[in-house]
Amino acid sequence: MATTYLKAITEALREEMRADERVFVMGEDVGAFGGAFKVTDGLTEEFGAARVRDTPIAEAGIFGTAVGAAIAGLRPVCEMQFSDFVACGFDQLVNVAGKMHYRLGLAVPMTVRLPTGGGFSGGPFHSQNPEAWFMHAPGLKVVAPSTPEDAKGLLISAIRDPNPVVYLEHKHLYRRVKGEVPEGAYETPFAARVAREGEDLTVIAYGAMVHTALEATTTDALDGASVEVLDLRSLVPLDEDAILAGVAKTSKVVIVDEANATCAAGAQVAALIAERAFDDLDGPVVRVATPDVPIPFSPPLEQAVLPSVDRVREACRDLLSY
Amino acid sequence: MALLNDDDRRGLLRHMLLMRAVEERGLALYKQGRVPGSFYDGRGQEAISVGATWALAGEDPVCSPLIRDLGAHLVKGTDLAQIFRHYMGRENEISRGREGNVHFGDRRRGVVGMVSMLPDMMVVAVGLAMAFQMRGERRCALSFFGDGATSRGDWHEAMNWAGLDRLPVVFVMENNQLAYSTPTERQFAVNPVERAAGYGVAAVTVDGNDVEAVFAATHDARERALAGEGSTLIEAVSMRMHGHGAHDDARYVPGELVAEWAGRDPVDRYLAALGKAGIDVDAVRAEVAETVETAVAEALTAPMPDPAEAAADVFCDGEPEPLGAGLSQWSGFALAGAAA
């Protein structure tokens, strides 16, 4: 039976909480209420309030206490109600959690769940894609699933990882995307996957933009061109081999970020290709991303800035004819 | 029944003398160019970290000793030669040259190293206490911070969180009159001790230059915490007798204030008190001096770290090594163990 992206995340939490009593969930309204998006719905009934912990509205408190619980031997999974609020706890993640193993040899096995992304008039404080902030901070892993199967497997891998992992779950995928999800617990590697094979051009994307890329590049839409779509899945570590293989295969690359363009994940991918695959290219590296503006509220304004199917298709068409 | 016996008193004195001797020696090494960066000490505040940590069982972590709290590391049993190697940026087991000055902690001994952002580690200590409560363990976390740290939001979040769940954590606020150059009257309108009640956290003020008073307050706070009665904020009133760091001549501090506090030096006071009580303080002093020189000599032979290792270990591969346990110094633990 097809499962939603959202239910796949819930399943991952349930599997890991059943299998490992060290795993617990904490966040704002995650308890009996089940979380703002209902990701933790039903967990309190099964595991009790002590392992599904409603916290004060205190993001630094959530991350800081998670660090303490992690070094005491537990496996906390923190939820931010929206990824935007991670800014309130930034210091604890970046300065405390991320640097602790390097500085002190003390591992911090914690997971941070960040509901990200726009597309539904969330406005400037409920639509952001903050992954690049954490890519730039040593010691944090950063992953972003695009399918229900990966949503479950990447979260299980994140919980089992001995390091702090920032897990980006795209809000626009929660109920929109369904797919087959294997039963039981399984780990998805922090590595890219080919979402669709192709010969003429490679689109590199992650999260919700994988779906935008797939829709934009059907064979019919591009006059018979065959487009490969690479789903990064993990931003730290970045699967450099898969990226370089994708470039070598088609020699033309479009990189799509929903995040603001400057220093986005896609900028790092572009830099990698410039450094390591220059001779493989048959055209400029093309980027499609959100311009450097806060995400506006009104639908026509929001649609004007977020990468759309049309923008991605146009970019591919231009590059194919280069 | 008195909580402290003569072995405790000798131990408290020894660790205060050790803290002072290590820091005096470290300052000399800094001035000789052997310690890179700057050097930070806790002169005049030795009674606070030594007295408070003396009240901890081995399983009780310190999270974290701050810039004036070398005594907490020493009481927990961190190796002196490793500390000097760390100061000098040489290869060592506690920071491997990746950290300097007071930024270290021996995780094997239950000591979590500080970060520069204050009071971040207070929130982490609350998380340790949360884990202890969740697992039903009889353990208590100890966290140090200065008066200046109480101005930041993390202080509020930690106090609120600890009060909310009556967590087994003891907060020791070192009121040393200054946050770098800014006196406390420019930091807050209401003393943090008075704010504590608003969070459901008990509070007490002690003479931070009286090591036995700091011990007693921490002992009582720990007992409360283990009994499920919640957290305590201990204000230890003292004075920072040196600059913020070795680079700071602290000319902004009124001379009469320094002179007044010099007469209350915690080490001198305790030497006099124990001498009067018939304890051979000169023997303790001699042993400390010799111990420190041996550690320095050993540290000076240590190699610098291998530059090839500079980018290693950003991530942990494999199973995490958990926080360990340090020494249980207080005689009361041995007596309780014997009784049990």
Side-chain angles (χ1 to χ4, degrees):
Chain A
M1 197 186 77
T3 301
T4 61
Y5 182 92
L6 186 146
K7 289 283 180 209
I9 297 170
T10 312
E11 271 189 37
L13 293 171
R14 188 178 281 117
E15 291 284 353
E16 287 306 280
M17 291 180 79
R18 281 179 182 166
D20 185 348
E21 64 180 14
R22 299 173 301 173
V23 178
F24 72 99
V25 169
M26 65 196 296
E28 295 158 13
D29 309 300
V30 299
F33 181 64
F37 295 99
K38 300 294 171 195
V39 171
T40 54
D41 200 22
L43 297 182
T44 300
E45 286 81 345
E46 181 169 351
F47 302 104
R51 287 181 73 197
V52 188
R53 301 176 76 88
D54 276 330
T55 68
I57 300 178
E59 289 78 12
I62 291 170
F63 294 144
T65 58
V67 172
I71 63 176
L74 297 176
R75 298 264 170 159
V77 183
C78 310
E79 176 180 305
M80 287 287 103
Q81 204 152 71
F82 288 79
S83 68
D84 311 67
F85 296 92
V86 74
C88 306
F90 190 78
D91 175 41
Q92 286 284 348
L93 258 187
V94 167
N95 281 319
V96 180
K99 295 174 184 169
M100 196 170 267
H101 187 261
Y102 183 76
R103 299 170 59 241
L104 307 173
L106 200 48
V108 185
M110 64 185 274
T111 303
V112 175
R113 288 184 37 239
L114 300 184
T116 60
F120 43 86
S121 290
F125 303 115
H126 293 78
S127 306
Q128 292 178 82
N129 293 282
E131 47 270 27
W133 299 349
F134 303 106
M135 293 178 69
H136 200 70
L140 304 174
K141 294 187 179 180
V142 182
V143 301
S146 71
T147 68
E149 181 177 348
D150 288 347
K152 182 173 172 183
L154 282 175
L155 183 52
I156 290 172
S157 297
I159 293 168
R160 294 179 183 178
D161 198 283
N163 298 286
V165 181
V166 176
Y167 174 94
L168 302 142
E169 50 193 63
H170 201 289
K171 300 190 291 286
H172 205 36
L173 302 181
Y174 272 154
R175 292 178 175 82
R176 187 164 66 101
V177 173
K178 291 181 182 174
E180 293 303 319
V181 173
E183 293 282 323
Y186 59 91
E187 295 183 31
T188 298
F190 291 175
R193 74 178 177 106
V194 176
R196 186 178 62 216
E197 297 272 359
E199 304 297 332
D200 300 323
L201 181 147
T202 302
V203 180
I204 301 175
Y206 61 92
M209 288 299 108
V210 172
H211 300 278
T212 302
L214 288 168
E215 191 182 336
T217 60
T218 56
T219 315
D220 291 347
L222 289 170
D223 311 319
S226 157
V227 173
E228 179 144 314
V229 175
L230 184 69
D231 176 0
L232 290 174
R233 295 201 294 200
S234 174
L235 305 177
V236 179
L238 190 63
D239 191 343
E240 298 187 348
D241 291 345
I243 292 165
L244 297 174
V247 178
K249 184 174 178 186
T250 67
S251 300
K252 290 187 173 179
V253 187
V254 173
I255 305 165
V256 188
D257 286 282
E258 188 183 308
N260 296 114
T262 298
C263 298
Q268 181 63 26
V269 173
L272 172 77
I273 294 169
E275 284 178 346
R276 307 259 306 271
F278 185 74
D279 291 339
D280 288 333
L281 290 170
D282 283 344
V285 172
V286 174
R287 290 188 59 206
V288 180
T290 296
D292 295 337
V293 295
I295 307 303
F297 164 77
S298 180
L301 299 182
E302 184 177 32
Q303 283 156 27
V305 300
L306 294 181
S308 62
V309 167
D310 287 345
R311 268 176 71 199
V312 174
R313 185 177 292 149
E314 203 56 38
C316 292
R317 188 171 283 141
D318 287 352
L319 185 58
L320 283 164
S321 64
Y322 180 85
Chain B
M1 190 191 82
L3 290 171
L4 296 168
N5 64 25
D6 278 354
D7 285 340
D8 286 311
R9 294 196 173 88
R10 246 188 305 271
L12 289 168
L13 177 67
R14 175 179 185 271
H15 285 82
M16 285 203 292
L17 287 167
L18 200 55
M19 174 168 166
R20 182 158 294 181
V22 167
E23 292 189 335
E24 284 178 348
R25 198 67 178 83
L27 197 54
L29 290 166
Y30 167 74
K31 288 177 178 168
Q32 292 167 352
R34 288 184 162 116
V35 171
S38 190
F39 192 80
Y40 302 82
D41 68 29
R43 191 177 188 90
Q45 296 176 234
E46 292 88 347
I48 302 173
S49 59
V50 169
T53 312
W54 203 260
L56 296 190
E59 295 278 320
D60 298 332
V62 185
C63 181
S64 300
L66 292 194
I67 204 164
R68 319 290 171 207
D69 303 323
L70 179 68
H73 299 278
L74 303 177
V75 169
K76 279 286 181 179
T78 302
D79 183 77
L80 273 190
Q82 295 294 331
I83 293 173
F84 280 109
R85 290 163 72 142
H86 160 87
Y87 284 156
M88 293 189 284
R90 295 176 187 240
E91 183 52 54
N92 71 81
E93 294 170 4
I94 46 180
S95 69
R96 304 191 60 194
R98 291 157 184 177
E99 267 289 14
N101 57 68
V102 287
H103 297 159
F104 69 97
D106 191 339
R107 64 180 163 78
R108 302 165 302 182
R109 298 179 183 279
V111 184
V112 185
M114 64 174 281
V115 301
S116 295
M117 296 74 199
L118 306 173
D120 283 17
M121 301 310 292
M122 189 183 172
V123 190
V124 179
V126 171
L128 288 168
M130 185 174 76
F132 302 156
Q133 188 185 68
M134 285 172 74
R135 293 191 298 225
E137 295 170 347
R138 273 183 59 82
R139 293 168 75 183
C140 175
L142 176 65
S143 193
F144 293 95
F145 49 88
D147 42 85
T150 67
S151 300
R152 269 199 69 232
D154 282 26
W155 189 85
H156 160 77
E157 294 193 21
M159 292 289 284
N160 185 52
W161 200 296
L164 181 68
D165 283 336
R166 301 168 82 84
L167 293 174
V169 56
V170 176
F171 302 122
V172 176
M173 179 180 96
E174 294 163 85
N175 185 346
N176 67 4
Q177 316 301 325
L178 295 161
Y180 205 142
S181 74
T182 306
T184 50
E185 62 260 28
R186 290 302 313 151
Q187 289 285 340
F188 40 71
V190 178
N191 190 303
V193 161
E194 292 165 44
R195 285 186 241 156
Y199 296 105
V201 171
V204 61
T205 294
V206 297
D207 177 353
N209 285 16
D210 178 346
V211 69
E212 295 194 11
V214 176
F215 165 81
T218 312
H219 170 270
D220 292 352
R222 178 178 177 274
E223 291 288 305
R224 279 193 76 240
L226 295 183
E229 292 166 21
S231 321
T232 303
L233 170 66
I234 299 169
E235 179 194 31
V237 181
S238 186
M239 173 70 195
R240 194 190 77 205
M241 298 302 286
H242 279 173
H244 174 63
H247 51 276
D248 172 24
D249 64 10
R251 69 178 65 183
Y252 46 80
V253 182
E256 56 272 28
L257 189 63
V258 177
E260 179 193 334
W261 281 91
R264 301 182 209 163
D265 182 82
V267 178
D268 289 348
R269 261 169 77 176
Y270 209 48
L271 277 168
L274 295 200
K276 199 181 284 182
I279 288 176
D280 184 356
V281 297
D282 290 335
V284 180
R285 251 204 290 237
E287 181 268 325
V288 163
E290 191 186 328
T291 301
V292 171
E293 282 319 306
T294 304
V296 171
E298 186 187 328
L300 283 168
T301 66
M304 296 304 279
D306 179 358
E309 292 287 303
D313 301 319
V314 174
F315 292 105
C316 172
D317 296 317
E319 199 54 32
E321 288 181 43
L323 208 53
L327 301 175
S328 296
Q329 296 271 15
W330 176 46
S331 62
F333 295 123
L335 295 174

